[in-house]
Amino acid sequence: MSRSQFSRLSLCAAAIGALAITAFAIVPSRAAEEAVIIPAPAQDVQASDGLQTVVVAGGCFWGVQGVFQHTSGVVNAVSGYAGGSKGTADYDTVSTGSTGHAESVQIKYDPKKISYGKILQIFFSVAHDPTQLNRQGPDTGTQYRSAIFTTSDEQKKVADAYIAQLNAAKVYKKPIVTKVGPLEGFYPAEAYHQDYLTLHPSQPYIAYNDIPKVENLKKIFAENYTEKPTLVNSAKVTN
């Protein structure tokens, strides 16, 4: 059952919830099994003064946001929609898969503390599986596609080069399907989607699919992990 089929007003759909909790208690989650240790990018964006922004999409935004809220150097990570128009940027409409939007996360980061390349490495390694086309785990549809929405020509150049590098190294069993293109607009998601992983760690979908992503961040990128998440409602962004 996909995350979009869970009621927004009910954090546990009884039957599927019980199954998910049982599975999570017995075997490693799908997310944990799919984490891949990959090389760092050979190219990177040159560090500059002031905060930088990139928007990424990789399935349900709850887990992607949760990963980057636990990433040191990220000062804000907001769940939202990118790839479509402002008029269709709401959860119910985006969930139809007909808007062009992808569930996305806007990441604002301090380039003096973490590089753009490192963010991409985390994104490709633990935040999602970049070889799944128009889906991610249990969620299917173009709104769950893998994408990088860049905010500069340099960001796009580095992202394209990194994808080529990873494909050439054959670190995945299948080719990367992540699309890279300029960000034309980002629209924050509804308030109930923000900080979802932190607020609902025991929700079956989160426990099974997303908590292991944060655990893998801590394990694989220990030097980039921060225990205390930077939450949307507490983040202070000046740029």
Side-chain angles (χ1 to χ4, degrees):
M1 175 176 283
S2 76
R3 187 259 333 197
S4 62
Q5 292 173 291
F6 280 87
S7 168
R8 295 180 305 177
L9 302 178
S10 175
L11 298 183
C12 293
I16 190 66
L19 289 172
I21 291 174
T22 300
F24 182 65
I26 296 173
V27 299
S29 82
R30 180 182 295 106
E33 293 171 344
E34 291 179 351
V36 178
I37 297 176
I38 61 176
Q43 301 179 34
D44 208 337
V45 172
Q46 185 175 359
S48 59
D49 293 329
L51 301 182
Q52 300 296 310
T53 301
V54 65
V55 174
V56 298
C60 170
F61 43 27
W62 293 343
V64 178
Q65 182 191 46
V67 166
F68 286 106
Q69 287 184 324
H70 281 278
T71 300
S72 181
V74 171
V75 301
N76 204 12
V78 179
S79 290
Y81 312 107
S85 67
K86 181 178 181 180
T88 60
D90 66 86
Y91 180 68
D92 289 337
T93 307
V94 171
S95 293
T96 67
S98 63
T99 65
H101 280 296
E103 290 198 10
S104 305
V105 175
Q106 180 192 67
I107 301 165
K108 289 186 179 292
Y109 65 98
D110 183 345
K112 296 295 179 64
K113 297 180 179 179
I114 188 170
S115 73
Y116 173 73
K118 179 60 69 174
I119 286 173
L120 294 186
Q121 188 181 13
I122 291 170
F123 174 64
F124 284 124
S125 174
V126 302
H128 85 308
D129 179 351
T131 70
Q132 295 192 32
L133 181 63
N134 294 332
R135 67 167 296 163
Q136 198 66 206
D139 299 311
T140 60
T142 57
Q143 68 271 33
Y144 299 114
R145 66 187 183 272
S146 176
I148 301 170
F149 299 94
T150 58
T151 56
S152 70
D153 291 341
E154 189 177 14
Q155 280 192 359
K156 185 179 188 309
K157 179 180 178 180
V158 169
D160 285 337
Y162 194 30
I163 291 171
Q165 175 189 339
L166 294 176
N167 278 331
K170 297 183 178 180
V171 296
Y172 303 100
K173 295 180 180 179
K174 298 182 293 183
I176 293 172
V177 297
T178 307
K179 298 297 184 182
V180 181
L183 177 68
E184 295 183 357
F186 175 81
Y187 309 98
E190 296 81 354
Y192 63 84
H193 285 301
Q194 306 301 339
D195 308 328
Y196 201 91
L197 182 146
T198 297
L199 295 174
H200 308 291
S202 298
Q203 200 259 32
Y205 180 97
I206 294 293
Y208 185 67
N209 293 287
D210 294 334
I211 292 297
K213 296 179 182 181
V214 178
E215 294 172 348
N216 282 325
L217 174 71
K218 183 177 182 179
K219 179 181 179 180
I220 299 173
F221 297 96
E223 71 280 9
N224 302 110
Y225 173 80
T226 179
E227 186 72 29
K228 183 178 179 181
T230 300
L231 303 181
V232 171
N233 292 330
S234 63
K236 295 180 179 180
V237 181
T238 58
N239 291 53

